[in-house]
Amino acid sequence: MVIVRDYESFLVERQKLQGSIGFVPTMGALHSGHLSLIKRSKAECDNTIVSIFVNPTQFLEGEDLDKYPRKDEADKKICQLAGVDILFMPTVDSIYSNDELVIMAPKVRGFILEGAKRPGHFDGVLQVVMKLLNIVSPTHAFFGKKDAQQLALISQMVKDYFMHTKIVPCDIIRDEKGLALSSRNVYLSQDEYNRALSLSRSLKEASYMFAKGLSDVTIIKEKMEQVLLESVDTLEYVAVVDRTFKPLKKVQQDNTIILVAVFVGNTRLIDNIWL
Ligand code: PAF
């Protein structure tokens, strides 16, 4: 595995690769969720490139940019052992200039749910993903379904801008108790961890209700809110949308995403289920 830190050195290494290129963009602090994306890329592509870049433009004022977990040495080992070909760890200066064009998330999917709670977040995500896809030129890029709205926006950007990368959605990875893996889980105390399990419990409850034949969104949301409010500190939203992020009144088989966002202590957590 080669490790490169700037665009020019990256290009030199990139040119040596032949065949399909799988790309896994990350912000580091790698866990089994990231590893599952890397494994998927290894299974489907001839070469695998991982980037680690804690992207400042997607953090809002007052968010956890400064304390975002950074585990460079452990991350390098994980990538090495996983058989990654190039690990791209650019500096902020090599990615951004002082005065540049910004891509704006579209209103339809960008200004609701995560976009409403974190205004500007998706502009930063799209800006950096556009740059990374242009630098890496992958045939495939692998994104987790946990960030469902991010995945929808990136897929739309790739389509709208005629970019030549296939976006591959990958399943959410959970720990043995059901908590969706996230680099931010390290912030949770034991008590907060136990309370955070209510996210997956509420989603399980929703899918159970749907499996029993109930599709009324109001009733499903009420039940989920009840489960969550017993455990979390702030419930930001429970939403039931179709794959284009249009709110639904009835759950539709194979066209529904149920999403939750909460605070447990000071940690913001999101989770979802695709029905
Ligand atoms: O999902 C993430 O880790 C980030 O939003 C991404 C896609 C790497 C862009 O910084």
Side-chain angles (χ1 to χ4, degrees), residues 19-37:
S20 58
I21 309 278
F23 177 43
V24 181
T26 80
M27 297 207 299
L30 303 181
H31 50 65
S32 310
H34 298 112
L35 201 53
S36 75
L37 304 180

Side-chain angles (χ1 to χ4, degrees), residues 9-47:
S9 340
F10 177 82
L11 282 191
V12 173
E13 296 305 326
R14 169 71 176 81
Q15 272 157 16
K16 294 180 190 163
L17 302 182
Q18 311 239 313
S20 58
I21 309 278
F23 177 43
V24 181
T26 80
M27 297 207 299
L30 303 181
H31 50 65
S32 310
H34 298 112
L35 201 53
S36 75
L37 304 180
I38 296 172
K39 282 188 183 151
R40 181 97 186 256
S41 169
K42 295 277 301 169
E44 293 184 19
C45 299
D46 300 318
N47 307 277

Side-chain angles (χ1 to χ4, degrees), residues 23-28 34 51-56 58-59 68 96 121 124-126 128-129 132 142-144 147 150 154 183:
F23 177 43
V24 181
T26 80
M27 297 207 299
H34 298 112
S51 67
I52 295 180
F53 181 64
V54 181
N55 172 38
Q58 70 189 75
F59 287 80
Y68 195 83
Y96 288 111
H121 166 69
V125 170
L126 295 180
V128 81
V129 171
L132 291 170
F142 298 83
F143 291 90
D147 293 297
Q150 164 175 288
I154 291 169
S183 302

Side-chain angles (χ1 to χ4, degrees), residues 9-10 15 39 60 67 71 77 84 93 96 105 118 130 150 152 161 181 186 190 199 206 224 227 235 261 268:
S9 340
F10 177 82
Q15 272 157 16
K39 282 188 183 151
L60 271 60
K67 69 172 184 129
K71 298 187 175 165
K77 284 205 186 99
V84 168
D93 290 346
Y96 288 111
R118 305 178 71 192
M130 169 77 98
Q150 164 175 288
Y161 285 84
L181 297 190
V186 296
Q190 186 58 51
L199 277 84
M224 289 180 69
V227 172
L235 173 55
R268 189 169 186 281

